[in-house]
Amino acid sequence: SRLAKTFKKLVETAGKIPVVFMLIPDEFQLNDDLWKRVSARLDEREWDRFYVQKKVIPLLEKEGYSYLDLLPHLQAVPRLKDGLRHCYHLQDTHFNARGNSVAGKALANFLSKEMQLNAHKNSL
Protein backbone atom coordinates (compact mmCIF):
# COMPACT_ATOMS: atom_id res chain seq x y z
CA SER A 1 0.00 0.00 0.00
CA ARG A 2 1.00 3.61 -0.39
CA LEU A 3 0.99 4.08 3.37
CA ALA A 4 3.30 1.10 3.90
CA LYS A 5 5.68 2.52 1.29
CA THR A 6 5.61 5.91 3.03
CA PHE A 7 6.43 4.35 6.40
CA LYS A 8 9.25 2.36 4.84
CA LYS A 9 10.68 5.46 3.16
CA LEU A 10 10.58 7.39 6.46
CA VAL A 11 12.42 4.62 8.28
CA GLU A 12 14.99 4.23 5.47
CA THR A 13 15.58 7.98 5.34
CA ALA A 14 16.17 8.10 9.09
CA GLY A 15 19.00 5.60 8.74
CA LYS A 16 20.37 4.77 12.20
CA ILE A 17 18.04 7.23 13.92
CA PRO A 18 15.25 5.27 15.65
CA VAL A 19 11.78 6.01 14.30
CA VAL A 20 8.54 5.58 16.19
CA PHE A 21 5.02 6.42 15.09
CA MET A 22 2.27 7.98 17.18
CA LEU A 23 -1.44 7.73 16.45
CA ILE A 24 -3.31 10.78 17.69
CA PRO A 25 -7.06 10.24 17.77
CA ASP A 26 -9.60 12.85 16.82
CA GLU A 27 -12.19 13.85 19.41
CA PHE A 28 -14.97 11.91 17.66
CA GLN A 29 -13.12 8.71 18.56
CA LEU A 30 -13.22 9.59 22.25
CA ASN A 31 -16.52 11.45 22.61
CA ASP A 32 -19.53 9.16 22.06
CA ASP A 33 -22.01 12.05 21.82
CA LEU A 34 -19.90 13.80 19.20
CA TRP A 35 -19.63 10.56 17.19
CA LYS A 36 -23.43 10.18 17.25
CA ARG A 37 -23.85 13.72 15.91
CA VAL A 38 -21.14 13.30 13.26
CA SER A 39 -22.26 9.86 12.10
CA ALA A 40 -25.90 11.03 11.82
CA ARG A 41 -24.76 13.47 9.10
CA LEU A 42 -22.84 10.90 7.09
CA ASP A 43 -24.20 9.17 4.03
CA GLU A 44 -25.48 5.60 4.08
CA ARG A 45 -22.03 4.04 3.75
CA GLU A 46 -20.85 2.45 6.93
CA TRP A 47 -18.19 4.63 8.52
CA ASP A 48 -15.75 3.06 10.93
CA ARG A 49 -14.97 5.26 13.92
CA PHE A 50 -11.78 3.31 14.64
CA TYR A 51 -10.63 2.79 11.05
CA VAL A 52 -7.12 4.07 11.76
CA GLN A 53 -6.57 1.64 14.62
CA LYS A 54 -7.93 -1.26 12.55
CA LYS A 55 -5.89 -0.47 9.43
CA VAL A 56 -2.72 1.33 10.49
CA ILE A 57 -1.80 -0.62 13.62
CA PRO A 58 -1.72 -4.02 11.85
CA LEU A 59 0.47 -2.48 9.14
CA LEU A 60 2.88 -1.05 11.71
CA GLU A 61 2.99 -4.36 13.58
CA LYS A 62 3.50 -6.36 10.38
CA GLU A 63 6.56 -4.26 9.57
CA GLY A 64 7.82 -4.35 13.17
CA TYR A 65 7.61 -0.59 13.64
CA SER A 66 7.30 0.87 17.12
CA TYR A 67 4.19 2.94 17.69
CA LEU A 68 2.15 4.62 20.37
CA ASP A 69 -1.64 4.75 20.01
CA LEU A 70 -2.94 7.50 22.29
CA LEU A 71 -6.56 6.35 22.05
CA PRO A 72 -6.44 3.81 24.92
CA HIS A 73 -4.67 6.37 27.12
CA LEU A 74 -7.34 8.98 26.44
CA GLN A 75 -10.12 6.43 26.92
CA ALA A 76 -8.71 5.73 30.38
CA VAL A 77 -9.19 9.36 31.44
CA PRO A 78 -11.95 9.56 34.06
CA ARG A 79 -15.12 11.27 32.93
CA LEU A 80 -16.11 14.49 34.67
CA LYS A 81 -19.54 15.20 36.16
CA ASP A 82 -21.08 15.85 32.74
CA GLY A 83 -19.96 12.43 31.49
CA LEU A 84 -17.24 13.73 29.17
CA ARG A 85 -13.47 13.40 29.43
CA HIS A 86 -12.72 16.95 28.22
CA CYS A 87 -9.36 16.30 26.54
CA TYR A 88 -9.85 18.62 23.56
CA HIS A 89 -10.46 22.34 23.20
CA LEU A 90 -14.12 23.15 22.57
CA GLN A 91 -14.95 22.78 18.86
CA ASP A 92 -11.25 22.31 18.10
CA THR A 93 -9.26 19.22 17.15
CA HIS A 94 -6.36 20.09 19.46
CA PHE A 95 -5.76 18.77 22.96
CA ASN A 96 -6.43 21.07 25.87
CA ALA A 97 -4.24 21.01 29.01
CA ARG A 98 -5.83 17.76 30.22
CA GLY A 99 -5.38 16.03 26.86
CA ASN A 100 -1.81 17.30 26.54
CA SER A 101 -1.01 16.01 30.01
CA VAL A 102 -2.30 12.52 29.15
CA ALA A 103 -0.50 12.50 25.80
CA GLY A 104 2.74 13.82 27.30
CA LYS A 105 2.82 11.22 30.06
CA ALA A 106 2.01 8.41 27.62
CA LEU A 107 4.72 9.60 25.24
CA ALA A 108 7.30 9.96 28.02
CA ASN A 109 6.61 6.42 29.27
CA PHE A 110 6.65 5.05 25.73
CA LEU A 111 9.94 6.74 24.83
CA SER A 112 11.55 5.64 28.08
CA LYS A 113 10.72 2.02 27.24
CA GLU A 114 11.89 2.49 23.64
CA MET A 115 15.21 3.91 24.82
CA GLN A 116 15.71 0.96 27.16
CA LEU A 117 14.84 -1.45 24.37
CA ASN A 118 17.24 0.24 21.93
CA ALA A 119 20.00 0.30 24.55
CA HIS A 120 19.49 -3.43 25.09
CA LYS A 121 19.53 -4.14 21.34
CA ASN A 122 22.72 -2.10 20.91
CA SER A 123 24.46 -3.97 23.73
CA LEU A 124 23.92 -7.35 22.09
Side-chain angles (χ1 to χ4, degrees):
S1 75
R2 196 166 93 197
L3 185 58
K5 289 177 185 173
T6 301
F7 287 160
K8 184 176 181 180
K9 182 72 173 169
L10 284 167
V11 171
E12 288 173 352
T13 301
K16 292 182 179 184
I17 300 169
V19 174
V20 298
F21 296 92
M22 183 166 63
L23 297 155
I24 304 172
D26 199 287
E27 185 177 6
F28 72 83
Q29 291 184 286
L30 189 64
N31 183 328
D32 296 332
D33 292 335
L34 178 58
W35 174 246
K36 286 176 188 171
R37 288 189 311 230
V38 168
S39 62
R41 295 180 177 201
L42 300 173
D43 58 34
E44 281 100 37
R45 288 184 291 166
E46 186 175 324
W47 293 88
D48 189 343
R49 183 177 179 185
F50 304 106
Y51 180 83
V52 171
Q53 282 72 20
K54 291 176 183 174
K55 296 296 180 180
V56 176
I57 289 175
L59 182 121
L60 293 168
E61 289 177 347
K62 178 183 174 195
E63 298 301 324
Y65 298 139
S66 295
Y67 69 92
L68 169 63
D69 180 9
L70 290 177
L71 184 60
H73 299 275
L74 292 165
Q75 288 172 325
V77 172
R79 295 174 189 269
L80 299 180
K81 289 181 182 179
D82 63 359
L84 301 175
R85 292 181 179 95
H86 294 284
C87 292
Y88 295 84
H89 287 287
L90 185 61
Q91 297 181 348
D92 189 336
T93 60
H94 297 90
F95 292 138
N96 60 18
R98 191 174 198 209
N100 275 314
S101 176
V102 172
K105 288 174 185 172
L107 182 58
N109 288 333
F110 175 80
L111 290 176
S112 176
K113 290 175 186 172
E114 282 294 306
M115 289 171 56
Q116 290 172 4
L117 184 64
N118 283 332
H120 178 73
K121 285 180 183 177
N122 290 335
S123 69
L124 296 178

